[in-house]
Amino acid sequence: MLKPHGVRLLLLVTVGFVMTRITIADPPQPFHAPPGDYITSWVGNTFGGSGGPNGFGYWVQEGVSKLVVTPDGTAFCGVAWDEAGRDLGLYKNGQVNRVLLQQPHYSTSGFGLSNTAFAVYGSHIYVANTDAQLLRFTWTPGDINSAKYVDYVKLPEKKEVVGLTANNDYVVLAYKDGIIELRKANDLSVFRQFSVSGVKDVTFVRDGTLWMLVGDRVQHVALSGQMLPASITGLQDPTAIALSNHNPNQLLVCDNGPRQQVLFYDLKPHPHLVKTFGAYGGLMSGQPGEVQPNKLFGLRGANTDNAGNLYVAMSFVGGASGHCVLRCFDPAGKMKWQDMSLAFVDTFGFDPNSDGTTVYSRDAIMRLDLKKRQPGSEWSLKAFTVVYPSSARDPREDTYSAASVVVRHLEGKRVLYTIGQMGGGFDIYAFNDPTHPYIPRKVGTTPPTDGTWAWYVDAVGGIWWGDAPGHTIRYYPFQGWNEDGAPRYDWKNPQTWPWPQDFDSVTRVIFIPKSDTLYLFGYLKGQDVETWGVIGPTARRYDDWLSGNPKIVWTNTHLPTAPDSQGKPITAKMVDIAGDYLFVGMVFSSPDGNHYTHIFRTSDGSYVGSFVPGDSVGGGGNVGWCDMPYALQAFKRSNGEYLVLEEEDWRGKNLLYRWWPKAETETITR
């Protein structure tokens, strides 16, 4: 029988397992495209990340904490961290700026624009960055790629700026400790200081006085620091204020409490509520979690342009959480456009019952229309899976709450498993309330296991732990449902096996119940461990694992490597199996500049080909590192198409490879 290219046949004896004839694949050289056809698409961002190298390109930033809208209809979104440096994004008519704002010779991340507050007045942009600097830029209003750096002044160290506003004469900074600082607009020198305890935001009005968000009220304040008699009270959880560009007598207040609405107050003759925007209750109104244009959430800022269009910026926690949702509504309240980012150190997962058309993140459900072929056109946002707002902390909404997800259907009920950037086991969420089909509740967690990497949930809900204490592999079968709606596992009495004697470390484990096949990954004795959290050079397949008579089918000791920044070879970070193939994703790009995802046959471990990111996502040079142990999920559709999701937090999305291996499998209906 002919052997696949790059495969050697050897005999290997491993004590404790049946001796069998196995194959060991040689390192693939050179890498090449797989047979058939594939395209690169993406999920979770309005834009794919094309448009240029570092400092240029199109993507929606990975969080938003502040919004400023200019009269011409440019929406500025600011955040303290975006992986690729869009810490201040400009959006107009649904488009995003290609040329990022940068401070020359920046010493901090985000090109020096990582910020906690900013202001725009006329042709000037002022940014209070996290390096205790007040930066000044000029721009041509309406031209989102025209910003030019001017200069900066030093601010007090270790003092967070929570509000910033400007007019022709002054730039006003509100510090978290309550200090209000007036600086002259011409040279940014300090003119006056006073104190307002509890200040959270500040805005100028046309008469040169200030309105300040102070705790749960909005207060009118003179530039002298004198409290003026007018105020707005009765708010639930206000997060931002802004003077309308359409009506200079109107103040907009974002109320992020149970109402989840934008409130419009006429200021004269005294402040009074004249309008609200958004369904009362936000995401929890109507069908809880279901996304609709007027169901607002996580309000971080709102304002109108001079034509009366309303812009609303939303994010659950306001930081780099993987959420920046910016919506523009016409004066009648109809949504005109929406820009979104829904990923930050996140790996999405397929609903196995959807034939690849439904994808879950840690807190959202997205639909894929796979009849479409234009990259990025397939996905749409269906629902969020969190209760918001809520007094109960949901760990999925913490800042920097990285997660990979697995969806399983167990005895007719959906379960969402999440695992973090550093591995360590799963949190378990169950969708068991038929009146809330989009909202699960947390029902369990695996045993506490910091510093462990080899975890897997198989197709029937069994949980595998490959690097358990004592150099063991543990298996926790799904045992049905508890009365309280939680899947039942016996954490104290798992099935346990010792590591194969020639393994020095097990780093990943995958089990396929249908064929009783176990795949182990890691380091054999004598193989060097190059760094933490990666897979290692070895993959091995066992058949008949649970039968009590496991047999080694093949071992591949040459999984591909790519160099790190010092040129040291680093093995892959993530792996998954679907259909007839094993997909292996790299941490870094190879010397040729491509960020590869490699494909191997499950039948013998031999190399098939490699995906590289296409131009729609910026090509291999503009796709970031994969820095999660479970940063890849693969799925084979009923028509033979393969789908591979891969973390890509550099520009806020998941890559979606769509592969039709028609030379390898049955004829595929396109």
Side-chain angles (χ1 to χ4, degrees):
M1 182 174 65
L2 293 176
K3 301 187 295 293
H5 174 71
V7 173
R8 294 176 286 133
L9 294 181
L10 295 179
L11 282 177
L12 179 67
V13 177
T14 302
V15 176
F17 296 95
V18 173
M19 183 179 69
T20 186
R21 193 169 179 83
I22 67 169
T23 61
I24 299 181
D26 290 319
Q29 292 294 336
F31 299 137
H32 55 77
D37 300 312
Y38 81 92
I39 60 173
T40 312
S41 188
W42 74 89
V43 179
N45 201 301
T46 299
F47 308 101
S50 62
N54 197 20
F56 300 87
Y58 304 105
W59 71 95
V60 178
Q61 65 210 70
E62 295 163 333
V64 56
S65 56
K66 299 286 184 180
L67 171 74
V68 169
V69 179
T70 57
D72 64 84
T74 302
F76 291 71
C77 291
V79 71
W81 182 268
D82 175 76
E83 194 78 13
R86 191 184 298 281
D87 294 326
L88 188 63
L90 285 70
Y91 303 84
K92 186 175 175 66
N93 297 326
Q95 186 53 269
V96 63
N97 60 307
R98 174 180 176 267
V99 182
L100 270 63
L101 278 69
Q102 300 183 34
Q103 178 188 13
H105 312 297
Y106 60 95
S107 59
T108 58
S109 64
F111 305 105
L113 268 292
S114 175
N115 66 84
T116 55
F118 63 96
V120 184
Y121 182 78
S123 61
H124 284 86
I125 303 168
Y126 304 93
V127 182
N129 73 9
T130 55
D131 205 29
Q133 299 170 338
L134 178 61
L135 311 179
R136 181 161 50 177
F137 294 79
T138 60
W139 76 306
T140 301
D143 183 348
I144 60 177
N145 290 299
S146 63
K148 305 293 183 184
Y149 173 78
V150 178
D151 57 9
Y152 80 91
V153 295
K154 196 69 177 171
L155 299 177
E157 295 283 351
K158 299 180 180 179
K159 289 185 63 173
E160 180 181 348
V161 181
V162 295
L164 207 160
T165 188
N167 66 9
N168 194 55
D169 299 314
Y170 299 106
V171 179
V172 179
L173 293 85
Y175 291 91
K176 190 174 183 178
D177 64 2
I179 296 298
I180 308 299
E181 188 174 76
L182 275 67
R183 291 177 177 263
K184 295 180 180 179
N186 59 352
D187 62 4
L188 302 182
S189 62
V190 176
F191 172 71
R192 177 181 296 141
Q193 287 186 342
F194 57 89
S195 181
V196 177
S197 179
V199 65
K200 297 192 295 185
D201 201 4
V202 59
T203 188
F204 265 116
V205 289
R206 298 294 175 87
D207 64 5
T209 60
L210 301 169
W211 283 87
M212 295 185 184
L213 178 55
V214 183
D216 60 359
R217 76 180 196 280
V218 182
Q219 179 67 52
H220 198 192
V221 183
L223 289 184
S224 64
Q226 177 185 359
M227 295 292 134
L228 300 175
S231 65
I232 298 172
T233 59
L235 304 171
Q236 295 173 346
D237 182 19
T239 53
I241 59 174
L243 183 71
S244 169
N245 288 305
H246 179 64
N247 181 350
N249 184 47
Q250 204 163 76
L251 191 74
L252 281 73
V253 179
C254 290
D255 196 331
N256 200 41
R259 66 192 308 160
Q260 296 289 291
Q261 291 177 316
V262 179
L263 313 179
F264 294 74
Y265 288 87
D266 277 357
L267 298 178
K268 295 180 179 179
H270 54 78
H272 58 286
L273 183 67
V274 294
K275 185 173 70 171
T276 65
F277 183 82
Y280 192 98
L283 281 176
M284 296 300 103
S285 64
Q287 179 61 66
E290 184 179 37
V291 171
Q292 297 291 342
N294 70 334
K295 294 174 67 170
L296 308 180
F297 68 93
L299 294 162
R300 303 302 156 190
N303 204 353
T304 55
D305 60 21
N306 57 16
N309 299 303
L310 174 66
Y311 303 76
V312 183
M314 296 170 282
S315 176
F316 285 118
V317 298
S321 63
H323 302 96
C324 176
V325 178
L326 175 64
R327 292 175 184 163
C328 175
F329 302 89
D330 68 17
K334 181 180 179 180
M335 190 169 74
K336 297 178 67 175
W337 53 264
Q338 175 177 233
D339 286 343
M340 292 187 290
S341 175
L342 301 176
F344 175 69
V345 198
D346 287 288
T347 309
F348 304 156
F350 295 102
D351 182 339
N353 283 19
S354 73
D355 198 28
T357 63
T358 301
V359 168
Y360 284 68
S361 75
R362 58 183 157 89
D363 57 16
I365 303 173
M366 289 157 278
R367 296 289 174 83
L368 301 185
D369 182 352
L370 295 171
K371 295 179 182 178
K372 297 181 178 179
R373 290 289 189 270
Q374 182 66 30
S377 68
E378 301 97 335
W379 79 276
S380 61
L381 176 61
K382 175 64 177 177
F384 286 107
T385 62
V386 294
V387 175
Y388 190 91
S390 173
S391 58
R393 171 183 167 271
D394 190 324
R396 295 178 294 157
E397 294 313 321
D398 288 346
T399 304
Y400 307 117
S401 54
S404 300
V405 306
V406 175
V407 179
R408 296 290 183 253
H409 289 257
L410 309 179
E411 296 180 354
K413 298 180 181 179
R414 274 175 301 152
V415 183
L416 178 75
Y417 301 84
T418 67
I419 187 168
Q421 185 179 12
M422 306 307 290
F426 294 100
D427 286 336
I428 305 171
Y429 298 82
F431 295 83
N432 49 25
D433 183 349
T435 66
H436 291 68
Y438 301 123
I439 308 291
R441 66 182 180 90
K442 187 175 179 181
V443 293
T445 187
T446 53
T449 56
D450 291 342
T452 56
W453 304 100
W455 289 90
Y456 190 72
V457 182
D458 65 35
V460 295
I463 296 179
W464 293 80
W465 180 10
D467 52 349
H471 291 184
T472 60
I473 300 165
R474 295 183 182 179
Y475 170 50
Y476 303 92
F478 166 66
Q479 298 180 344
W481 288 87
N482 292 330
E483 291 182 358
D484 62 356
R488 188 167 65 250
Y489 296 95
D490 186 350
W491 302 120
K492 295 182 179 179
N493 298 289
Q495 296 184 40
T496 303
W497 301 265
W499 286 355
Q501 290 188 5
D502 58 341
F503 265 82
D504 192 55
S505 177
V506 172
T507 60
R508 303 290 189 275
V509 58
I510 295 175
F511 182 72
I512 310 299
K514 186 176 181 180
S515 58
D516 194 14
T517 302
L518 186 78
Y519 296 84
L520 292 182
F521 304 85
Y523 299 85
L524 299 181
K525 291 179 179 178
Q527 291 180 325
D528 292 334
V529 177
E530 69 274 25
T531 188
W532 55 270
V534 295
I535 290 176
T538 296
R540 177 177 291 169
R541 171 178 169 169
Y542 291 90
D543 280 357
D544 303 324
W545 183 267
L546 289 181
S547 72
N549 190 30
K551 297 181 289 291
I552 300 172
V553 179
W554 54 259
T555 301
N556 182 332
T557 59
H558 295 292
L559 293 181
T561 61
D564 65 7
S565 58
Q566 286 77 44
K568 180 180 178 181
I570 301 294
T571 53
K573 192 69 177 248
M574 66 279 197
V575 60
D576 198 14
I577 289 173
D580 302 320
Y581 300 99
L582 184 150
F583 300 87
V584 176
M586 307 308 295
V587 184
F588 302 107
S589 297
S590 291
D592 62 9
N594 285 315
H595 191 275
Y596 288 106
T597 300
H598 303 293
I599 309 166
F600 299 83
R601 291 180 181 86
T602 57
S603 60
D604 58 17
S606 62
Y607 174 70
V608 174
S610 303
F611 300 142
V612 294
D615 292 339
S616 65
V617 296
N622 297 306
V623 174
W625 302 343
C626 290
D627 51 4
M628 304 177 74
Y630 300 92
L632 182 153
Q633 192 164 138
F635 186 84
K636 183 183 179 183
R637 301 190 67 213
S638 60
N639 68 354
E641 177 185 358
Y642 283 80
L643 306 174
V644 178
L645 285 167
E646 190 172 303
E647 174 215 9
E648 207 295 280
D649 73 286
W650 178 245
R651 293 184 173 182
K653 59 186 175 295
N654 273 205
L655 299 182
L656 174 64
Y657 291 111
R658 302 182 61 182
W659 179 35
W660 299 270
K662 54 188 175 183
E664 294 280 329
T665 62
E666 70 273 15
T667 300
I668 296 173
T669 302
R670 299 291 293 273

